[in-house]
Amino acid sequence: MKIPYLPEGREILYVEADHAFLQEARLYAEEHSSDHLHPTGAVIVRENEVLGRGANVSHYHEDHGCRRKELNIPTGEGYELCKGCSPKNHAEQAAIADAQTRHSQEKIAEADLYLWGHWWCCESCWDCIIKSGLKNVYLVEEAFTYFGRPS
């Protein structure tokens, strides 16, 4: 499966589903995500220390549905059409923001991001990942099989 967006020079790395930090992202998603259909969680890790945690958080879909899904917009496109799909609600950006409130930029730089609940990172999240200096993005092996969906 072709990833909808991947910045030049970057790659997604994969780990087994039982990997400790991936499991921490999964548990955080289960406990904190407001999207009960597709809970997504992320943790930022450096030298085996969790620096930040985040989940996809928006109740917009529960109250209003998803305009992107109504229009059958492909994954990764049309985020501006739905307040619930806004990248500011994405787990990756929430985890980065959490890490930035707790740690210096020097400590965050070269850290890794573990993401549970999705099979790729959107352009806005990649921009945030790169700007914050994160080194690697890890997803579960066979992420598309676990989390792939049409939109």
Side-chain angles (χ1 to χ4, degrees):
M1 173 51 71
K2 184 179 185 310
I3 296 172
Y5 179 78
L6 188 63
E8 190 172 326
R10 298 301 288 236
E11 65 180 327
I12 294 177
L13 303 173
Y14 297 92
V15 294
E16 293 183 13
D18 63 353
H19 187 282
F21 293 126
L22 199 59
Q23 284 300 303
E24 183 149 351
R26 180 187 62 81
L27 289 171
Y28 198 82
E30 290 173 357
E31 294 173 3
H32 298 280
S33 177
S34 60
D35 184 341
H36 303 295
L37 291 175
H38 309 291
T40 304
V43 293
I44 307 293
V45 179
R46 182 168 179 179
E47 297 173 358
N48 290 317
E49 178 186 0
V50 175
L51 305 178
R53 295 170 179 83
N56 53 338
V57 291
S58 173
H59 294 285
Y60 187 87
H61 292 136
E62 291 173 13
D63 298 334
H64 307 284
C66 179
R67 186 71 178 139
R68 290 178 56 251
K69 286 186 180 181
E70 290 171 10
L71 296 172
N72 206 22
I73 303 289
T75 187
E77 297 178 19
Y79 289 134
E80 71 281 359
L81 301 173
C82 177
K83 290 181 184 179
C85 292
S86 171
K88 70 179 181 174
N89 298 324
H90 293 185
E92 301 97 305
Q93 294 191 36
I96 291 167
D98 182 52
Q100 289 172 335
T101 64
R102 300 170 185 270
H103 302 282
S104 68
Q105 178 57 41
E106 291 78 26
K107 184 151 186 160
I108 296 168
E110 299 296 310
D112 297 319
L113 183 141
Y114 291 82
L115 179 65
W116 176 270
H118 211 359
W119 56 283
W120 68 289
C121 299
C122 72
E123 183 173 357
S124 179
C125 287
W126 268 113
D127 289 348
C128 209
I129 289 164
I130 292 166
K131 183 177 179 183
S132 66
L134 296 181
K135 184 176 177 182
N136 296 305
V137 172
Y138 291 93
L139 303 179
V140 64
E141 290 176 340
E142 304 295 325
F144 182 78
T145 301
Y146 279 95
F147 307 116
R149 53 191 181 269
S151 61

